[in-house]
Every structure is written in structure tokens, then in C-alpha cells.
């Protein structure tokens, strides 16, 4: 049964990522068709086609590998005649002046005698020109006569930016919607003012750190008792005020206690429907300072940093509560900014993964995880018996939401063939046209994106290497669900 559930988890993940990719491509498709661009293919996945159907001029289908998707629009690489055309210069003039510059075209003088052998540098340049010519031909092969106005390059710059940005925007919106379902619809575990546990003794952090592991969880005879223990506070009591300050939430309760270190205060609470009041001394307690990841901060001499604050000695009941609406934008910003930060530091993280692959470093549970690794974690979430169904659903939604926000951020990298690269080209072309207009040089054709093919090939190569590296590490040294929770 566990194996079956594990497979179900992987299948659900594949369905979720396929839907996310499909919606991303739909984000490109809808405005492209709205603007009259001829779209010949809409595909989810890469590799062999599993099934497809044609509606109108577009073939819709699903391919075997759910690692991406695409829509095919003629004119992603403008023909040379379009990129060199200027105001007042006809297409025929452009073609006549450009004979012998691309592909295997030859001028009249080349036909009379055999051309001398070119130096190696010139041959490489010729090869590059042939590659650009092939890319242009392939990009425009499905343009029928009279359909030049329906190509991608024929769109004005604002419309091109809309087409390219709409895909990542769909992932961002989808990620935010999934976060809303998880955080607001299902809710987050929130500490309440009701008491779950009562701590018996209070031990300074510096002293607790020096105790043997076997004694850290038990009280010694000379350890001071906590105010809550001495006052007789019991699990189930609902604390309503401390030092005359109403405590409607655990944060308010905790802050009031911290601010009254060393003072005697009145604590009001409800027990079995009856209000009671006790006067207790809030002890000044030494607590270890930790960072955002929960790791202890150390002084220059190697001792742990500590802070002194009030301590009462109770632990709260945890209940699932909807995240307040005013806190949701902050949660979204934290998620999006965290993903962008991860992408900025991607080269460093890839070096760490390479060290893991060579066996010289342990896998960081909070580091990079590839598609194979995420699929394995999804299988663990569904098959484990450590969580209730609602918790499993929330974990799965969290993964899918994070993945969509990652797709948004990654596609915004300003490098071809990513959407951000096309957006960058569009912005450059718009700026170039405005400069030419300001200088009175008239209109110019679209930027020749084929000239960026070497950079495009490098980016594709790096992406393939990154994918292969992550697949290898996810198979050999996978990140497990237990490792993720233990690291937190």
C-alpha cells in the first residue's frame, strides 16, 4: 500500500507540474492569438508526442517528458530582409543589396571563378552565418505568402512584451492563488492563549549547554521552578491577561511576559469556565540567540550568544487558523523574494551540488532540489503516516505554489531562450527605435535575434548540465522529507 501511495504522490506531482506548464503556455497562446499571430503548435512537455489534435491552424498536444512546453509562432527569428529594412527602402532593394551574404547565395562574380580558400576565422564566421540562416528559415517556414503580418516579429514592441510576459505572469498568479488556498483557506498552525504544556524548571541557556545530553531534558534538584509551575497553572487553562494587559493572542502574551522580567504581575486565566487570578514573579531568563534558520549565534570566544527576558513557563496549544489577510502580502513577498535570492545565488548552489556529486560534501536539505528530487518528496508526502490528510494536502500545495513562483522567477532571467531573454530583446528594440526616431533616422526593422544564437546555445547547454547534475544527485543522494523537517 505504501508503494502504491508513493507512486500516487509522484503522479499527482507530474499532473500538477504539467498543468502549471500548460497554463504558462496558455498565457503565451491567448494574447498571441488575440493579436493575430499565427500559432502552429501548442505543446506541453518535450520529446515524443503522446497525443495531439488539430483545431484550426494550431496543433495541440502533450509530449512524453513534462519538463517544459512551448508554443510555435513563425517569426521568432525575423528574416534578414525584415531586420535590414529601413524607412524608404523597399524589400526588393534590401534583397538585391544583401545577395551573397547568407547561406549558399552567391553574387555574379562568385560564379565566374572558384573562390580562394578562406582563413579559418572566416570559415567559422561563414558557419555562424549559415547557422543563423538556418534558424531564420526554420522559424519562418510555416509563413504562407501574404501572412508576414501574422508573424511574431511583425508585432509592435508592447504587444511582443505582453505575449512573452503573460506566460511567467500566469505562474506568478497561480502560485499566489495556491498560497492563498493553503494559508488562508486551509490555514496555518497558530499558537493560542490556551496552555498546552507547563514547564517545571527554568535553566539558563549557558548552563543547559554544558549539561550532558541525558540531563538536558530533566530537572535537577537545585533547578528553580518556573512561575507557572509554582502558581499551579494546568494544561487547558486559557490565559486572558498578564500585568493588566489583555492577551488576545500568543504573541501579545509572550511579549508582555518578556517585558516584565523580574517583576511580580497578576495573571488572569479561565479554567473550566471560571475566571481565576494568581500573582506570580516573572523570572529573568537567559535565552540563546538564534538566526532565522534556528541556528545558535556564537560570541567571538565561541560561547553562545544569549539574551535576558521574562519567562513564565507555559507552552501554547497549536490550532490551524486562517492567515490574516493583512499578513498575506508579506507572506507572498517573502516567498517571491526568497526564490529570486535563490536564483541569484544559483551558481554558488550549483558548486555545492557538484561537491555533493563528487562525494566531498553532504547534501543540504535546504539546498537545490531537481525535478526528480521534488517528485520523490511528493511520493513521501502521500505515502507517509506522519501527517493527516489536511497536512499532506497543505504540503503538496506548498510545493506546487513554490514551483510556480520558481517558474516565474526563472523565466524572467534576461537570457535567451527564456522568456526574460525575449523581453530583454523587446525592451532593447523599443529603446533603439526611440533613439532612431529622436535622431530623425526613421523606422528600422526588428532586432536580428539570430545573432544571439551562440549565447542561446550556451544557456541551453548550461541548463542541460544543471538538469543532469541535479538528476544524478537526486538519485544518488536524495533529500528526504525527514531531512527537510529536521533541518528546520
Amino acid at each position: 500500500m505504501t508503494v502504491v501511495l508513493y507512486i500516487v504522490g509522484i503522479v499527482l506531482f507530474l499532473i500538477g507540474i504539467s498543468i502549471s506548464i500548460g497554463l504558462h503556455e496558455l498565457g503565451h497562446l491567448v494574447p498571441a492569438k488575440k493579436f493575430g499571430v499565427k500559432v502552429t503548435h501548442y505543446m506541453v512537455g518535450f520529446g515524443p508526442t503522446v497525443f495531439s489534435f488539430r483545431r484550426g491552424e494550431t496543433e495541440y498536444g502533450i509530449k512524453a517528458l513534462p519538463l517544459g512546453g512551448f508554443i510555435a509562432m513563425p517569426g521568432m527569428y525575423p528574416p534578414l530582409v525584415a531586420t535590414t529594412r529601413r524607412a524608404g527602402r523597399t524589400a526588393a532593394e534590401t534583397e538585391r543589396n544583401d545577395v551573397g551574404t547568407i547561406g549558399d547565395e552567391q553574387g555574379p562574380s562568385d560564379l565566374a571563378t572558384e573562390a580562394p580558400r578562406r582563413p579559418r576565422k572566416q570559415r567559422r564566421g561563414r558557419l555562424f552565418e549559415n547557422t543563423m540562416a538556418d534558424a531564420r528559415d526554420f522559424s519562418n517556414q510555416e509563413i504562407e505568402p501574404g501572412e508576414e503580418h501574422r508573424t511574431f516579429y511583425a508585432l509592435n514592441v508592447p504587444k511582443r512584451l505582453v505575449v512573452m510576459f503573460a506566460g511567467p505572469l500566469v505562474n506568478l498568479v497561480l502560485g499566489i492563488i495556491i498560497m492563498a488556498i493553503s494559508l488562508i483557506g486551509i490555514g496555518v498552525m497558530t499558537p493560542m492563549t490556551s496552555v498546552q504544556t507547563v514547564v517545571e524548571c527554568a535553566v539558563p541557556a549557558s548552563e543547559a549547554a554544558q549539561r550532558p545530553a541525558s540531563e538536558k531534558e530533566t530537572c535537577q534538584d537545585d533547578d528553580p521552578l518556573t512561575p507557572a509551575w509554582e502558581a499551579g497553572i494546568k494544561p487547558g487553562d486559557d490565559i486572558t491577561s498578564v500585568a493588566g494587559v489583555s492577551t488576545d493572542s500568543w504573541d501579545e502574551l509572550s511579549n508582555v511576559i518578556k517585558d516584565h522580567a523580574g517583576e511580580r504581575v497578576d495573571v488572569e486565566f479561565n479554567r473550566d469556565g471560571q475566571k481565576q487570578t494568581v500573582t506570580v514573579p516573572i523570572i529573568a531568563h537567559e535565552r540563546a540567540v538564534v538566526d532565522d534558520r534556528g541556528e545558535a549565534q556564537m560570541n567571538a570566544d565561541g560561547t553562545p550568544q544569549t539574551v535576558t527576558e521574562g519567562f513564565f513557563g507555559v507552552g501554547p496549544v497549536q490550532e490551524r487558523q486562517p492567515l490574516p489577510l493583512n499578513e498575506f502580502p508579506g507572506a507572498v513577498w517573502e516567498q517571491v523574494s526568497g526564490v529570486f535570492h535563490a536564483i541569484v545565488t544559483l551558481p554558488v548552489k550549483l558548486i555545492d551540488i557538484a561537491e555533493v556529486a563528487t562525494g566531498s560534501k553532504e547534501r543540504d536539505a535546504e539546498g537545490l532540489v531537481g525535478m526528480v528530487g521534488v517528485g520523490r518528496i511528493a511520493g513521501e508526502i502521500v505515502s507517509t503516516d506522519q501527517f493527516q490528510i489536511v497536512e499532506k494536502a497543505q504540503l503538496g500545495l506548498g510545493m506546487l505554489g513554490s514551483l510556480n513562483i520558481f517558474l516565474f522567477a526563472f523565466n524572467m532571467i534576461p537570457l535567451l531562450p527564456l522568456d526574460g531573454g525575449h523581453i530583454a530583446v523587446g525592451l532593447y528594440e523599443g529603446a533603439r527605435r526611440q533613439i532612431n526616431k529622436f535622431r530623425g533616422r526613421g523606422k528600422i526593422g526588428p532586432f536580428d535575434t539570430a545573432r544571439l544564437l551562440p549565447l542561446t546555445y550556451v544557456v541551453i547547454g548550461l541548463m542541460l548540465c544543471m538538469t543532469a547534475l541535479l538528476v544524478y544527485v537526486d538519485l544518488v543522494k536524495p533529500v528526504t522529507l525527514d531531512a527537510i523537517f529536521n533541518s528546520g
Side-chain angles (χ1 to χ4, degrees):
M1 185 65 178
T2 301
V3 175
V4 174
L5 290 176
Y6 188 89
I7 296 174
V8 168
I10 295 176
V11 171
L12 289 175
F13 165 72
L14 293 177
I15 293 174
I17 187 61
S18 296
I19 292 175
S20 300
I21 294 171
L23 292 175
H24 173 102
E25 299 305 329
L26 190 64
H28 293 308
L29 178 74
V30 171
K33 283 185 170 289
K34 181 72 174 177
F35 296 148
V37 178
K38 183 179 182 180
V39 181
T40 58
H41 294 82
Y42 169 92
M43 293 289 170
V44 177
F46 295 119
T49 301
V50 177
F51 81 91
S52 66
F53 65 92
R54 180 171 293 276
R55 179 170 296 176
E57 63 188 10
T58 307
E59 181 183 359
Y60 300 84
I62 295 179
K63 291 182 175 289
L65 302 176
L67 301 176
F70 65 93
I71 66 170
M73 298 178 290
M76 295 299 291
Y77 293 107
L80 191 61
V81 65
T83 61
T84 56
R85 187 180 305 167
R86 294 182 180 272
R89 187 181 180 189
T90 66
E93 290 172 339
T94 302
E95 292 176 356
R96 182 168 61 251
N97 292 337
D98 289 330
V99 167
T101 60
I102 63 172
D104 294 326
E105 295 175 341
Q106 295 177 320
S109 61
D110 294 325
L111 300 177
T113 60
E114 181 179 354
R117 184 173 179 84
R118 297 181 178 87
R120 181 175 299 178
K121 184 175 181 180
Q122 292 184 12
R123 294 201 302 272
R124 286 198 300 266
R126 188 69 172 181
L127 177 63
F128 177 39
E129 290 179 355
N130 291 340
T131 302
M132 291 192 299
D134 291 341
R136 295 188 189 100
D137 291 342
F138 181 81
S139 177
N140 296 281
Q141 63 182 350
E142 297 192 66
I143 301 176
E144 301 295 336
E147 288 186 332
E148 291 79 7
H149 65 288
R150 300 193 59 203
T151 59
F152 179 72
Y153 71 81
L155 293 176
N156 60 32
V157 171
K159 289 182 178 180
R160 264 187 274 168
L161 293 178
V162 169
V163 171
M164 299 315 301
F165 182 67
L169 180 62
V170 167
N171 289 125
L172 176 61
V173 173
L174 186 59
I176 293 175
I177 291 175
I178 293 173
M179 286 186 64
I181 294 173
S182 176
L183 300 181
I184 300 177
I186 298 177
V188 295
M189 297 305 294
T190 306
M192 312 301 290
T193 56
S194 297
V195 176
Q196 175 72 33
T197 57
V198 180
V199 181
E200 181 179 355
C201 58
V203 182
S206 57
E207 182 180 336
Q210 297 176 358
R211 290 186 177 183
S214 59
E215 299 180 4
K216 288 185 178 181
E217 302 298 328
T218 59
C219 293
Q220 305 300 312
D221 294 338
D222 57 346
D223 289 340
L225 298 177
T226 66
W229 187 274
E230 288 191 303
I233 300 296
K234 297 180 179 180
D237 292 346
D238 185 22
I239 301 175
T240 57
S241 73
V242 176
V245 179
S246 178
T247 54
D248 299 324
S249 68
W250 175 256
D251 287 341
E252 293 177 352
L253 169 63
S254 180
N255 290 333
V256 173
I257 291 174
K258 290 177 181 178
D259 293 340
H260 288 78
E263 302 178 17
R264 293 185 65 85
V265 299
D266 291 335
V267 177
E268 295 183 1
F269 60 94
N270 290 324
R271 177 182 294 174
D272 299 328
Q274 295 185 352
K275 181 179 292 186
Q276 300 186 34
T277 302
V278 293
T279 301
V280 297
I282 301 298
I283 64 175
H285 181 69
E286 187 181 21
R287 179 182 62 84
V289 178
V290 296
D291 58 17
D292 294 337
R293 300 180 60 180
E295 297 180 354
Q297 299 296 289
M298 309 301 290
N299 293 312
D301 59 358
T303 58
Q305 295 182 16
T306 60
V307 62
T308 301
E309 57 190 19
F311 182 74
F312 185 48
V314 295
V317 169
Q318 298 278 343
E319 292 185 3
R320 196 175 297 278
Q321 297 287 327
L323 184 72
L325 290 177
N326 62 334
E327 295 182 16
F328 182 68
V332 172
W333 170 251
E334 182 178 355
Q335 178 75 11
V336 174
S337 60
V339 170
F340 271 104
H341 179 265
I343 290 177
V344 171
T345 58
L346 187 60
V348 176
K349 294 180 181 295
L350 286 175
I351 293 175
D352 292 339
I353 291 295
E355 293 177 350
V356 172
T358 58
S360 60
K361 192 171 185 178
E362 292 297 322
R363 186 80 183 266
D364 182 5
E366 297 183 359
L368 285 179
V369 181
M371 296 290 287
V372 172
V374 176
R376 295 183 65 155
I377 294 172
E380 288 188 52
I381 290 175
V382 175
S383 61
T384 185
D385 57 0
Q386 299 179 24
F387 306 109
Q388 300 296 324
I389 293 180
V390 65
E391 295 173 320
K392 293 182 179 182
Q394 192 166 44
L395 287 171
L397 287 172
M399 286 176 50
L400 189 59
S402 299
L403 186 59
N404 271 276
I405 291 177
F406 174 81
L407 289 175
F408 161 74
F410 188 76
N411 273 286
M412 292 307 295
I413 297 176
L415 294 173
L416 292 174
L418 300 173
D419 296 331
H422 291 286
I423 292 172
V425 170
L427 293 173
Y428 167 77
E429 184 175 313
R432 189 179 66 159
R433 288 183 177 181
Q434 291 299 318
I435 293 174
N436 276 269
K437 182 179 179 181
F438 177 76
R439 293 179 176 179
R441 295 182 177 179
K443 295 182 179 180
I444 57 174
F447 175 76
D448 187 6
T449 50
R451 295 185 177 277
L452 298 178
L453 277 174
L455 176 61
T456 302
Y457 293 151
V458 170
V459 173
I460 293 174
L462 291 175
M463 290 171 60
L464 290 175
C465 290
M466 179 180 70
T467 301
L469 180 62
L470 288 173
V471 168
Y472 173 77
V473 175
D474 286 340
L475 291 175
V476 177
K477 296 182 179 180
V479 173
T480 63
L481 194 61
D482 288 339
I484 293 176
F485 280 93
N486 290 335
S487 66

